[in-house]
Amino acid sequence: MRRIILAVAAVACGVVVAVFDPQEEARILLTTMTILAWLFVALYGFRSPWRTTEAGKTLMYTAVALGLIGLQLISVWWFGDYAWRNEVRAVTVVVLLLALLHRLIVLWEFQHEEPDQEVSQ
């Protein structure tokens, strides 16, 4: 089922790219990305014990950061220019940067931990 959904989504994205002009294409794809990021945050946040592992935390942090980036990008299309836009964009990019750095650190630690430590984490 997962493969079918992904294949249909890939075809739909291809249609969007082929049919719409670049401005509309970006709006559609980035809005969809933002919705999917926040759906992940909601489902994972309320239905999974994500706080119990570092891997769970890094997934949540990254999804929230992507959702924030998406909101910042599409807010200009919805509401036009707004005060402190550059500062908001900088904060959202820094949040994503830190989430990705956290993800790399967790991966590095996981790949370099001793086999007997795996159970305690």
Side-chain angles (χ1 to χ4, degrees):
M1 186 65 166
R2 181 182 330 146
R3 289 182 180 159
I4 293 170
I5 292 170
L6 290 171
V8 169
V11 169
C13 289
V15 169
V16 167
V17 170
V19 171
F20 293 95
D21 67 86
Q23 186 74 17
E24 286 302 310
E25 167 196 320
R27 288 181 185 186
I28 293 167
L29 295 177
L30 287 170
T31 300
T32 304
M33 177 207 74
T34 303
I35 291 167
L36 291 175
W38 287 113
L39 280 172
F40 179 87
V41 168
L43 289 173
Y44 194 51
F46 290 113
R47 298 187 67 187
S48 299
W50 60 272
R51 291 176 190 89
T52 59
T53 65
E54 287 302 311
K57 292 174 190 175
T58 195
L59 281 173
M60 181 60 86
Y61 299 159
T62 305
V64 168
L66 287 172
L68 289 172
I69 291 261
L71 281 178
Q72 195 281 325
L73 288 170
I74 62 179
S75 67
V76 176
W77 297 325
W78 292 343
F79 306 116
D81 204 8
Y82 57 89
W84 299 92
R85 178 178 159 214
N86 292 333
E87 290 78 6
V88 169
R89 182 180 58 231
V91 168
T92 60
V93 171
V94 167
V95 168
L96 179 59
L97 183 149
L98 293 174
L100 292 172
L101 178 60
H102 180 263
R103 193 171 226 185
L104 284 170
I105 292 168
V106 168
L107 177 63
W108 177 268
E109 289 173 349
F110 179 75
Q111 290 178 339
H112 290 87
E113 68 185 14
E114 297 295 322
D116 61 332
Q117 290 180 339
E118 290 178 13
V119 177
S120 67
Q121 301 251 347

